[in-house]
Amino acid sequence: MLPEHLAVIMDGNGRWAKARGLSRSEGHRAGTETAKNLVTRCRELGIGHLTLYTFSKENWARPKDEIAQLFDLLTLFLKKELRSLQEQDIRLKVLGELSDFPFGVRQVVAHTINKTKNCRGMTLNLALNYSGRDELVRAFKNIAESGISFKDITDETISEHLYTSGQPDPDLIIRTSGEQRLSNYLLFQAAYSELYFTDVYWPDFDSAELDKALENFSSRQRRFGKTGDQI
């Protein structure tokens, strides 16, 4: 059994680099290569939706030069991989507020989204300038502005106003580097997600590590509130 929607918290680039006497930027470069390989592998496996926690709102607190390097890596990745995304029939979507990003970054992201909008093989969500709490606040404001009566608000109403509207909630969330928390990631969508934590730093999370996570996921019984005998 494979997850229909896999979400990943890509953690540990800096610690991976430090352990090797490298700069943090080298860690982020290695992490970008890992992300590229993961996208390809998930497409090969037939996973329909992949969400990568790429840049959180909290990441603005990092040094300015590191933020600039992250933006450079993002734009380079999208420029280099656009043709590959199209050939693999992968549609790009963004979860988060892009308005705070530099104009050049926004341009590249918008161009990639437009060029892949008709792809249907897999949806690749990049969580950029993302915050789970802010996503919920945004959803509630949009619901209020739409004129929907509070008596008519349901789980489905909220889901329809999230960035992931129209997509299934993540079945599995993977976090690398040994940390065991969601870090403001997909808070509403993760209600029944299976969680998988590994000590492996993100740049070392290869296909073999993905297989371990997927094997672990397939062995779990997802009850959604029912008893085991009801499944």
Side-chain angles (χ1 to χ4, degrees):
M1 177 181 66
L2 289 172
E4 184 179 1
H5 185 170
L6 170 64
V8 184
I9 301 174
M10 307 178 292
D11 197 11
N13 290 344
R15 281 166 284 170
W16 179 90
K18 184 178 180 180
R20 289 160 177 75
L22 302 173
S23 66
R24 289 181 64 85
S25 61
E26 288 296 324
H28 292 313
R29 287 192 186 93
T32 300
E33 190 66 23
T34 299
K36 170 188 170 183
N37 294 335
L38 179 73
V39 171
T40 298
R41 181 58 179 153
C42 287
R43 178 68 181 99
E44 291 172 350
L45 291 171
I47 293 173
H49 303 263
L50 173 64
T51 301
L52 302 179
Y53 206 1
T54 310
F55 189 89
S56 72
K57 279 189 175 290
E58 291 80 9
N59 286 154
W60 289 106
R62 294 189 176 192
K64 290 184 178 180
D65 60 339
E66 181 174 346
I67 293 173
Q69 290 166 358
L70 290 171
F71 288 163
D72 288 344
L73 286 171
L74 172 63
T75 54
L76 180 62
F77 172 81
L78 293 178
K79 287 179 178 179
K80 287 180 63 177
E81 298 304 316
L82 174 56
R83 177 167 293 183
S84 178
L85 292 174
Q86 292 173 313
E87 290 173 350
Q88 295 181 79
D89 198 27
I90 298 174
R91 174 180 59 166
L92 179 70
K93 296 198 73 174
V94 166
L95 317 183
E97 298 291 344
L98 283 178
S99 58
D100 294 332
F101 278 21
F103 177 73
V105 178
R106 299 200 309 269
Q107 269 194 318
V108 173
V109 173
H111 177 72
T112 309
I113 290 173
N114 183 59
K115 289 295 185 179
T116 62
K117 64 183 179 182
N118 294 320
C119 296
R120 293 294 180 265
M122 184 174 86
T123 297
L124 171 62
N125 299 307
L126 296 185
L128 294 169
N129 198 23
Y130 176 84
S131 157
R133 288 183 172 182
D134 281 1
E135 180 182 26
L136 287 171
V137 171
R138 172 182 175 272
F140 298 153
K141 287 181 177 179
N142 288 340
I143 291 170
E145 291 172 357
S146 71
I148 297 174
S149 169
F150 76 92
K151 295 180 181 179
D152 297 325
I153 296 174
T154 63
D155 283 2
E156 290 73 22
T157 308
I158 298 172
S159 292
E160 289 167 2
H161 288 82
L162 298 175
Y163 291 121
T164 52
S165 176
Q167 300 187 55
D169 291 338
D171 304 290
L172 173 64
I173 298 178
I174 297 172
R175 181 166 189 157
T176 58
S177 87
E179 304 292 350
Q180 298 187 17
R181 57 180 177 271
L182 286 177
S183 295
N184 204 9
Y185 187 47
L186 302 175
L187 299 180
F188 186 90
Q189 299 92 326
Y192 281 101
S193 299
E194 298 294 323
L195 306 179
Y196 179 87
F197 301 108
T198 174
D199 291 334
V200 173
Y201 292 140
W202 175 245
D204 288 330
F205 191 84
D206 56 15
S207 292
E209 292 297 331
L210 174 63
D211 289 345
K212 288 181 187 178
L214 295 178
E215 182 178 358
N216 180 279
F217 171 76
S218 67
S219 70
R220 301 185 187 186
Q221 186 182 65
R222 307 186 72 200
R223 296 189 295 272
F224 300 99
K226 299 178 181 179
T227 68
D229 293 337
Q230 291 176 294
I231 303 301

